Amino acid sequence: MLQLTDIEKQYRSGDPSPDFTLSVPELTVGRGEFFALLGPSGCGKTTLLKVVAGLIPAEGGRVWFDGREWTDLPPEKRGFGMVFQEPLLFPHMTVKENVAFGLKMRGWGKKKRELRAGEWLDSVGLDGLESRLPSELSGGQQQRVSLARAMAIQPRVLLMDEPFSALDPQLREKMRVLLKQLHQEHQMTILFVTHDREEAFYLADRIGILTEGRLLQADRPRNLYEKPSHPEVARFLGLRNVIAGRMEQSRFHSAEIQLPMEGARPGKGWLVLYPECFRLNPSKSDSSTIPFRVTIREVIFRTGYYSIQAEVGNLALNIRERPTLKPPRPGEQRTAFYPVSKLHWIPEEKGGE
Amino acid sequence: MWQRSKPYLLIAPATGAMLLLFVGGLWEGVLQSLGYRPLVGQSRLTLQFYETLLSSADFWRSLGLTLRVSILSTLAGGVLGLMISVCLVMLAGAGPFKHSRFWRHVFQLPLLIPHFVAAYLAVVMMIQTGWIPRLMFALGFLDQPADFPVLVQDRFGWGIVLTYAWKEAPFIAWMLYPVLYRTQEKWWEVARVFGSGRWAYFREILLPLLLPAWMTASFIVFAFTFSAFEVPYLLGVTYPQMLPVWSFEMYTGGDLTKRPAALAVNVLLAGMAVFFGWLAHRTGRRFGLLEGGRWE
């Protein structure tokens, strides 16, 4: 089990106040777990991964593995594997030599390591290319070799730093499938860094959302989406209906809307409305749904649904509707119904803004 | 048709001049070494001069000295050059650019100085009444300047070796610098994660990538020091002489009968340089030392 406690890392550009601070009070990755660190570019994901690998020293905090402190252990002694954004294969070594590199550093004999390298090249679908040089491979093949190189050493933790971001979408999809299959087969502990929501949700058992150096929430993908504990988490997951307001006497109040909500903690906070839960033409409307009188502003057909921009007064709402519906026209006034059970309240003291 | 032949026509004058002067000169040298000198009435080819040379103890002594000096100069220059190129890359990566440029100029300096000037500098600096002994005496490192070891015009050839090492190390460094510069800092991170320490990284990654360029540069230095004349002429002793000096003195000594032997020495030098080049290439291939050259 990998554990991080009170990790602090600061970057300065001259003046004493730091330009960027990475602060992770606690993060645990269980044995065999696939954990994805999800966040926008420049949020500190790669820095955190390099702190875990031992390639960057943290200014504060500790790194533990299976109950032993590894904070000051050099990277070459940690037994981790890593796949970088670029394949970073050694250009003078053949594919097989690259895959066997980590085994060679561990003192494995030539025959044994070549056998193991061959097995992993089979696993990533590159059998027959053993004696090629990296320059003779495509980008996707190179990244497969990089994956095989990391997996061949059977690392205690496999660290992956946006490994598929340089590949084209089709290839990225194939690599995701391959990685998921390999994880299921070998049950490796994986810490995966990405800015791609879809990728994180497809692959990970748990996801941690990191923005501006802070780990905002770590949870299972569905919980994260359905119960974000921070407005930034909701926004990063693509939810645009995050409305600041106040909860008083089981009612939500904002400048534009007021609506009932039982059981929510009173005080300031944010209401999250899921775009896919709105219905413009419901089969039934009763007390379990809340009507919103909206003006349609924009209707765009996306892959498999209509993305509708609507307004309630000055409040912009994002609605997602099935394509079976005859789409509304911009300027039209419609009633959108939202189920009460799908209202999600983030109290300020929890959200921390 | 014109488009296809144009490049060949454009390089024809340069190629013609080179063939005439280089190959013609070589041909003339080989013929004269075989005793072909129609001007003095000798037009019969003979291996007599080669036989005399190969059976002379002086030749073998000179060859021994020449090989010793060339090998030591190449090794010293090669190791120094490798160290300089690593330093240059580290300076370029770590310090501000102006510092890196300053050190690049410092390391480039020996390249700008002609060999005979380098040899003269070596005399001025290292002779027992030179700058270095006198400076060491002034600083109290020596009781008297004459305690400084004899490094100029010594029988072993240390002065020649040191001068060549100083002069050729930057050449090797500048041949290695582009290769080292292309190595990515991230490879070090990759290697560390996979269990490599500094030495293993040097042995497994840097050295194989550097070896082809290092071997090529070192061979050029070897071929040069093996057959160059100025430095051993100024810094060497009168006996034994390095082969190029011996050849020069036989050729310019005024005794025309020694000229074929002088040219036979040159032909043997050229032949041995080609042989060592072939040997270096074959050894490199045999032990996989040239694999780093597959890097595109």
Side-chain angles (χ1 to χ4, degrees):
Chain A
M1 187 169 70
L2 176 72
Q3 268 185 303
L4 308 180
T5 50
D6 301 320
I7 295 293
E8 288 273 338
K9 177 75 191 172
Q10 295 184 335
Y11 286 104
R12 291 181 174 83
S13 62
D15 58 290
S17 60
D19 292 333
F20 176 79
T21 303
L22 173 72
S23 172
V24 178
E26 196 184 348
L27 177 66
T28 304
V29 182
R31 187 178 285 272
E33 185 180 28
F34 196 126
F35 188 95
L37 267 174
L38 178 63
S41 297
C43 72
K45 308 181 295 284
T46 299
T47 303
L48 185 60
L49 203 70
K50 288 190 172 179
V51 167
V52 173
L55 293 169
I56 296 179
E59 277 136 23
R62 291 165 196 280
V63 178
W64 304 82
F65 187 80
D66 280 351
R68 279 172 297 167
E69 196 192 334
W70 280 15
T71 316
D72 299 320
L73 196 70
E76 56 268 31
K77 301 229 163 102
R78 295 191 183 204
F80 292 173
M82 195 158 175
V83 182
F84 295 77
Q85 201 164 340
E86 301 144 355
L88 295 176
L89 302 175
F90 301 124
H92 59 296
M93 293 183 189
T94 61
V95 164
K96 191 179 256 185
E97 286 165 348
N98 264 290
V99 175
F101 177 76
L103 303 171
K104 190 175 185 183
M105 293 300 103
R106 280 160 178 73
W108 282 41
K110 194 175 180 187
K111 270 193 177 168
K112 210 174 148 196
R113 65 176 187 255
E114 283 195 348
L115 192 69
R116 169 72 73 86
E119 286 166 9
W120 275 100
L121 283 170
D122 275 358
S123 298
V124 297
L126 290 180
D127 49 320
L129 303 182
E130 293 86 350
S131 48
R132 292 222 186 148
L133 288 171
S135 57
E136 295 165 338
L137 302 180
S138 69
Q141 287 171 328
Q142 288 187 17
Q143 200 56 301
R144 279 169 191 248
V145 177
S146 174
L147 184 62
R149 175 174 67 180
M151 288 193 151
I153 58 167
Q154 292 185 312
R156 291 181 168 115
V157 179
L158 176 58
L159 306 169
M160 304 186 84
D161 184 9
E162 305 208 38
F164 310 139
S165 62
L167 306 178
D168 63 61
Q170 275 185 325
L171 205 53
R172 204 181 305 163
E173 184 63 37
K174 278 186 185 170
M175 290 298 284
R176 279 180 202 161
V177 174
L178 173 69
L179 180 60
K180 193 161 182 87
Q181 181 196 327
L182 290 172
H183 178 247
Q184 281 165 354
E185 278 171 23
H186 299 276
Q187 291 298 307
M188 277 179 192
T189 308
I190 298 180
L191 180 55
F192 187 96
V193 155
T194 182
H195 64 266
D196 186 331
R197 291 193 301 259
E198 203 186 319
E199 192 164 78
F201 274 71
Y202 178 79
L203 289 168
D205 299 320
R206 281 197 310 139
I207 298 172
I209 305 286
L210 195 69
T211 58
E212 293 174 357
R214 290 183 304 152
L215 184 65
L216 300 178
Q217 189 178 355
D219 210 334
R220 305 192 81 77
R222 187 167 176 178
N223 282 353
L224 206 61
Y225 186 74
E226 292 183 346
K227 292 170 188 166
S229 64
H230 196 288
E232 278 305 312
V233 172
R235 286 184 196 120
F236 188 73
L237 295 180
L239 300 167
R240 278 183 272 168
N241 307 323
V242 181
I243 309 157
R246 173 176 281 281
M247 194 66 72
E248 276 172 6
Q249 296 167 336
S250 298
R251 280 190 79 78
F252 172 75
H253 301 263
S254 78
E256 291 84 12
I257 56 168
Q258 290 191 15
L259 48 92
M261 191 174 175
E262 293 294 333
R265 192 191 298 183
K268 283 185 178 175
W270 297 266
L271 182 72
V272 180
L273 301 172
Y274 292 88
E276 67 275 15
C277 294
F278 282 101
R279 285 290 167 268
L280 288 174
N281 282 337
S283 52
K284 55 172 186 159
S285 61
D286 51 35
S287 60
S288 66
T289 58
I290 301 164
F292 288 84
R293 193 67 186 154
V294 297
T295 307
I296 306 297
R297 289 291 170 221
E298 189 182 56
V299 180
I300 296 171
F301 181 76
R302 307 278 292 268
T303 47
Y305 61 90
Y306 285 111
S307 176
I308 300 165
Q309 294 303 313
E311 280 177 2
V312 179
N314 287 329
L315 175 72
L317 283 180
N318 178 231
I319 296 170
R320 193 178 287 187
E321 260 294 2
R322 289 163 297 177
T324 47
L325 174 86
K326 187 186 172 203
R329 279 172 304 191
E332 220 178 300
Q333 292 243 322
R334 298 287 283 266
T335 302
F337 294 89
Y338 191 88
V340 175
S341 61
K342 294 292 181 185
L343 292 169
H344 179 66
W345 172 243
I346 305 173
E348 191 179 65
E349 58 269 33
K350 206 174 171 188
E353 264 191 6
Chain B
M1 181 67 186
W2 162 243
Q3 283 301 323
R4 279 178 59 188
S5 53
K6 190 179 171 185
Y8 301 104
L9 287 171
L10 287 175
I11 62 162
T15 313
M18 203 182 75
L19 282 174
L20 186 73
L21 296 174
F22 186 76
V23 181
L26 202 65
W27 179 244
E28 174 79 16
V30 171
L31 280 181
Q32 285 199 30
S33 73
L34 292 170
Y36 182 76
R37 291 186 300 159
L39 285 177
V40 290
Q42 291 176 0
S43 52
R44 198 170 57 84
L45 298 182
T46 169
L47 288 173
Q48 176 205 334
F49 299 102
Y50 287 95
E51 282 164 10
T52 314
L53 267 183
L54 294 174
S55 59
S56 122
D58 290 348
F59 172 80
W60 292 107
R61 238 173 250 131
S62 284
L63 179 62
L65 174 69
T66 310
L67 278 172
R68 184 172 67 209
V69 166
S70 313
I71 290 169
L72 286 176
S73 305
T74 307
L75 282 176
V79 172
L80 260 177
L82 184 62
M83 283 160 68
I84 291 172
S85 60
V86 171
C87 286
L88 279 173
V89 169
M90 281 164 69
L91 282 165
F97 182 64
K98 58 178 183 179
H99 289 166
S100 147
R101 200 159 58 176
F102 170 76
W103 286 109
R104 279 164 64 177
H105 287 321
V106 168
F107 289 127
Q108 272 173 340
L109 192 65
L111 288 175
L112 304 174
I113 295 174
H115 277 88
F116 75 93
V117 178
Y120 177 70
L121 274 175
V123 173
V124 172
M125 305 280 261
M126 295 190 297
I127 201 162
Q128 282 176 310
T129 51
W131 292 3
I132 295 175
R134 278 196 277 174
L135 188 69
M136 290 179 78
F137 170 66
L139 293 172
F141 292 113
L142 298 175
D143 292 333
Q144 49 184 333
D147 289 344
F148 192 75
V150 180
L151 295 179
V152 174
Q153 285 153 358
D154 61 308
R155 285 183 70 83
F156 189 87
W158 281 120
I160 307 170
V161 172
L162 288 173
T163 308
Y164 274 142
W166 178 78
K167 182 79 183 74
E168 310 307 337
F171 168 75
I172 292 180
W174 285 106
M175 292 278 282
L176 299 184
Y177 184 72
V179 183
L180 265 181
Y181 201 75
R182 277 179 68 196
T183 61
Q184 297 190 38
E185 206 176 301
K186 285 181 181 170
W187 285 342
W188 169 227
E189 290 188 349
V190 176
R192 288 191 84 189
V193 169
F194 288 105
S196 156
R198 279 177 201 284
W199 170 240
Y201 178 68
F202 180 75
R203 191 187 61 223
E204 298 290 333
I205 312 296
L206 281 189
L207 198 61
L209 291 174
L210 284 175
L211 264 178
W214 190 81
M215 280 189 67
T216 307
S218 296
F219 177 71
I220 292 171
V221 168
F222 175 80
F224 179 81
T225 52
F226 188 65
S227 48
F229 152 79
E230 309 100 305
V231 175
Y233 186 70
L234 287 168
L235 299 180
V237 287
T238 46
Y239 185 84
Q241 288 170 318
M242 279 177 66
L243 284 175
V245 180
W246 196 40
S247 159
F248 177 81
E249 296 219 317
M250 276 199 283
Y251 195 85
T252 55
D255 184 352
L256 292 179
T257 59
K258 287 189 174 171
R259 284 200 170 181
L263 287 161
V265 171
N266 282 342
V267 171
L268 286 173
L269 276 172
M272 281 187 277
V274 170
F275 169 74
F276 288 127
W278 171 80
L279 195 69
H281 184 72
R282 201 178 153 82
T283 313
R285 286 185 68 126
R286 170 71 183 83
F287 294 101
L289 303 178
L290 304 176
E291 283 177 2
R294 299 183 301 186
W295 182 15
E296 282 178 14

